[in-house]
Coordinates of all heavy atoms in Angstrom, one line a residue:
N223 N 18.5 44.0 28.5 CA 19.8 44.7 28.1 C 20.9 43.9 28.8 O 20.7 43.0 29.6 CB 19.8 46.2 28.4 CG 19.7 46.5 29.9 OD1 20.0 45.7 30.7 ND2 19.2 47.7 30.2
G224 N 22.2 44.3 28.5 CA 23.3 43.6 29.0 C 23.4 43.5 30.5 O 23.7 42.5 31.1
K225 N 23.1 44.6 31.1 CA 23.1 44.7 32.6 C 22.1 43.7 33.2 O 22.4 43.0 34.2 CB 22.8 46.1 33.1 CG 22.9 46.3 34.6 CD 22.7 47.8 35.0 CE 22.8 48.0 36.5 NZ 21.7 47.3 37.2
E226 N 20.9 43.7 32.6 CA 19.9 42.7 33.1 C 20.3 41.3 32.9 O 20.0 40.4 33.7 CB 18.6 43.1 32.5 CG 18.0 44.4 32.9 CD 16.9 44.9 32.0 OE1 16.9 44.5 30.8 OE2 16.1 45.8 32.5
I227 N 20.9 41.0 31.7 CA 21.4 39.7 31.4 C 22.4 39.2 32.5 O 22.4 38.1 33.0 CB 21.9 39.6 30.0 CG1 20.7 39.7 29.0 CG2 22.7 38.3 29.8 CD1 21.2 39.8 27.6
A228 N 23.4 40.1 32.7 CA 24.4 39.8 33.7 C 23.8 39.5 35.1 O 24.3 38.6 35.8 CB 25.4 41.0 33.8
E229 N 22.8 40.3 35.5 CA 22.1 40.0 36.8 C 21.4 38.7 36.8 O 21.5 38.0 37.8 CB 21.1 41.2 37.0 CG 21.7 42.5 37.3 CD 20.7 43.6 37.3 OE1 19.6 43.4 37.0 OE2 21.1 44.8 37.7
I230 N 20.8 38.3 35.7 CA 20.1 37.0 35.7 C 21.1 35.9 35.7 O 20.9 34.8 36.3 CB 19.1 36.9 34.5 CG1 18.1 38.0 34.6 CG2 18.5 35.5 34.4 CD1 17.2 38.1 33.3
L231 N 22.2 36.0 34.9 CA 23.3 35.1 34.9 C 23.8 34.9 36.4 O 24.1 33.7 36.8 CB 24.4 35.5 34.0 CG 24.2 35.4 32.5 CD1 25.2 36.2 31.7 CD2 24.2 33.9 32.1
S232 N 24.0 36.0 37.1 CA 24.5 35.9 38.5 C 23.5 35.1 39.3 O 23.9 34.2 40.2 CB 24.7 37.3 39.0 OG 25.7 38.0 38.3
E233 N 22.2 35.4 39.2 CA 21.2 34.7 40.0 C 21.1 33.2 39.7 O 21.0 32.4 40.6 CB 19.8 35.3 39.7 CG 19.7 36.8 40.2 CD 18.4 37.4 39.7 OE1 17.6 36.7 39.1 OE2 18.3 38.7 39.8
V234 N 21.2 32.9 38.5 CA 21.1 31.5 38.1 C 22.4 30.7 38.5 O 22.3 29.5 38.9 CB 20.9 31.3 36.5 CG1 21.1 29.9 36.1 CG2 19.5 31.8 36.2
T235 N 23.5 31.3 38.4 CA 24.8 30.5 38.6 C 25.3 30.7 40.1 O 26.1 29.9 40.5 CB 25.9 31.0 37.7 OG1 26.2 32.4 38.0 CG2 25.6 30.8 36.3
G236 N 24.8 31.7 40.8 CA 25.3 32.0 42.1 C 26.7 32.7 42.1 O 27.3 32.8 43.1
L237 N 27.1 33.1 40.9 CA 28.4 33.8 40.8 C 28.1 35.3 40.7 O 27.0 35.7 40.4 CB 29.1 33.3 39.5 CG 29.4 31.8 39.4 CD1 30.0 31.5 38.0 CD2 30.4 31.4 40.4
E238 N 29.1 36.1 40.8 CA 29.0 37.5 40.6 C 29.5 37.8 39.2 O 30.7 38.0 38.9 CB 29.9 38.3 41.6 CG 29.4 38.3 43.0 CD 28.1 39.1 43.2 OE1 27.9 40.1 42.4 OE2 27.2 38.7 44.0
I239 N 28.5 37.9 38.3 CA 28.9 38.1 36.9 C 28.8 39.6 36.6 O 27.7 40.2 36.8 CB 27.9 37.4 35.9 CG1 27.9 35.9 36.2 CG2 28.3 37.6 34.5 CD1 29.1 35.1 35.9
G240 N 29.9 40.2 36.2 CA 29.9 41.6 35.9 C 29.5 41.9 34.5 O 29.3 41.0 33.7
I241 N 29.5 43.2 34.1 CA 29.2 43.6 32.7 C 30.3 44.4 32.1 O 30.8 45.3 32.8 CB 27.8 44.4 32.7 CG1 27.5 44.8 31.3 CG2 27.9 45.5 33.7 CD1 27.0 43.8 30.4
A242 N 30.7 44.1 30.9 CA 31.7 44.9 30.2 C 31.0 45.4 28.9 O 30.4 44.7 28.1 CB 32.8 44.0 29.8
Y243 N 31.1 46.8 28.8 CA 30.5 47.4 27.6 C 31.6 47.7 26.6 O 32.6 48.3 26.8 CB 29.9 48.8 28.0 CG 28.7 48.6 28.9 CD1 28.9 48.8 30.3 CD2 27.4 48.3 28.4 CE1 27.8 48.7 31.2 CE2 26.4 48.2 29.3 CZ 26.5 48.4 30.7 OH 25.4 48.3 31.5
K244 N 31.4 47.1 25.4 CA 32.3 47.3 24.3 C 31.6 48.1 23.2 O 30.4 48.0 23.0 CB 32.9 46.0 23.8 CG 33.8 45.3 24.8 CD 34.7 44.2 24.1 CE 35.7 43.6 25.1 NZ 36.5 42.6 24.5
D245 N 32.4 48.9 22.4 CA 31.8 49.7 21.4 C 31.8 49.1 20.0 O 32.2 48.0 19.8 CB 32.4 51.1 21.4 CG 33.9 51.1 21.0 OD1 34.3 50.1 20.4 OD2 34.6 52.1 21.4

Side-chain angles (χ1 to χ4, degrees):
N223 61 26
K225 181 176 182 294
E226 293 164 336
I227 289 172
E229 290 171 351
I230 298 172
L231 285 165
S232 297
E233 293 169 10
V234 167
T235 62
L237 303 172
E238 288 291 331
I239 306 292
I241 178 74
Y243 295 99
K244 293 193 174 182
D245 62 21

